Amino acid sequence: MLRTAYEQAGAGETAAEAVPVAIRDAIDALVVAHQSNVDLSGDDRFNAVRRSMLRQCPNTVESPELLTVLAEAIGESASWEPPEIIGGVEAELDCLKRHGLRLAVVSNTGLAPGRRVEAALVARGFDRWIDHWIWSDEVLSWKPGQAIFSAALDALDVTAEETAFVGDTPEADVLGAQHANFAASVQVGDKRDPAVKPDIHLPTLGGLTNALQELGLLNPGP
């Protein structure tokens, strides 16, 4: 998509080699930001690709049409690796909502803006469970940075002491939630870090509601 658009905008044959370099440059910029637990906005990601293309293809004549294609191409990168739906998640979300809980997705994002990932999940029906969507590119905070956890608490209108955080990575999710003083950190899956100890560790999402009840964080089921 980008190659064709830039070729037509005057970049010529150099566009074919420039596009993957520009994508790599944008990802490298994200990596640098993430090392400080901050994130780049959607506009910053867009402009990182744009600047790289102009540097490599100085004969490019930018137009609104070209920039529209560029924005769409970056957004479509969410489809390169679409979100994987973990087995059993729907049943657990049903259980948690029956307990009257407010739920939020709190996620770091890749090159594509979080809203593109959200759209893919909404298309799968997840908006019937999720009350709020907190994306790192919108709050400019990369887990385990604390600002993204604070944004989730603000959106849900709850305190950390009455909130459990569920994730699959020891550092970003468990350590981040613990530093934010969440009532419980729950890790799902087989990733391990001997220095990070979640309050609850589950091989799969099955049993999440029961585990929260056993920890005293939920009242008996309805």
Side-chain angles (χ1 to χ4, degrees):
M1 183 189 298
L2 280 181
R3 178 184 58 79
T4 300
Y6 271 89
E7 285 176 347
Q8 295 173 350
E13 296 180 357
T14 59
E17 294 183 357
V19 167
V21 172
I23 297 296
R24 184 70 257 173
D25 286 346
I27 292 173
D28 287 346
L30 287 172
V31 170
V32 171
H34 297 165
Q35 289 172 348
S36 298
N37 292 337
V38 299
D39 205 358
L40 302 181
S41 69
D43 285 344
D44 288 336
R45 296 159 189 240
F46 170 87
N47 284 322
V49 178
R50 179 185 178 188
R51 285 193 301 268
S52 181
M53 288 301 298
L54 287 175
R55 184 175 63 252
Q56 298 178 79
C57 306
N59 293 327
T60 299
V61 178
E62 289 193 328
S63 65
E65 292 75 18
L66 176 63
L67 298 182
T68 296
V69 172
L70 176 57
E72 185 62 23
I74 293 172
E76 281 299 311
S77 67
S79 66
W80 299 347
E81 190 176 352
E84 178 183 355
I85 308 304
I86 300 173
V89 65
E90 292 95 339
E92 289 298 327
L93 290 173
D94 277 336
C95 288
L96 294 173
K97 293 306 283 187
R98 284 199 296 270
H99 280 272
L101 297 186
R102 296 191 297 278
L103 304 177
V105 165
V106 183
S107 181
N108 294 338
T109 59
L111 181 63
R115 292 295 172 182
R116 290 298 189 118
V117 182
E118 178 181 331
L121 291 171
V122 168
R124 295 285 297 270
F126 275 74
D127 53 331
R128 67 184 183 272
W129 297 298
I130 304 302
D131 300 292
H132 298 282
W133 308 83
I134 313 298
W135 303 107
S136 62
D137 64 289
E138 295 187 351
V139 298
L140 306 183
S141 173
W142 179 264
K143 295 184 297 182
Q146 293 302 285
I148 191 170
F149 292 93
S150 297
L153 295 174
D154 290 343
L156 291 168
D157 193 24
V158 294
T159 65
E161 291 74 17
E162 57 185 343
T163 306
F165 194 91
V166 183
D168 66 346
T169 59
E171 180 181 4
D173 297 314
V174 176
L175 199 59
Q178 290 174 347
H179 285 171
N181 296 315
F182 276 52
S185 57
V186 183
Q187 185 183 340
V188 178
D190 57 4
K191 296 178 183 177
R192 297 283 184 173
D193 184 335
V196 180
K197 304 293 184 183
D199 297 300
I200 300 172
H201 193 274
L202 300 172
T204 68
L205 272 173
L208 172 61
T209 304
N210 290 337
L212 292 174
Q213 285 180 318
E214 292 174 1
L215 204 61
L217 296 174
L218 287 179
N219 294 322

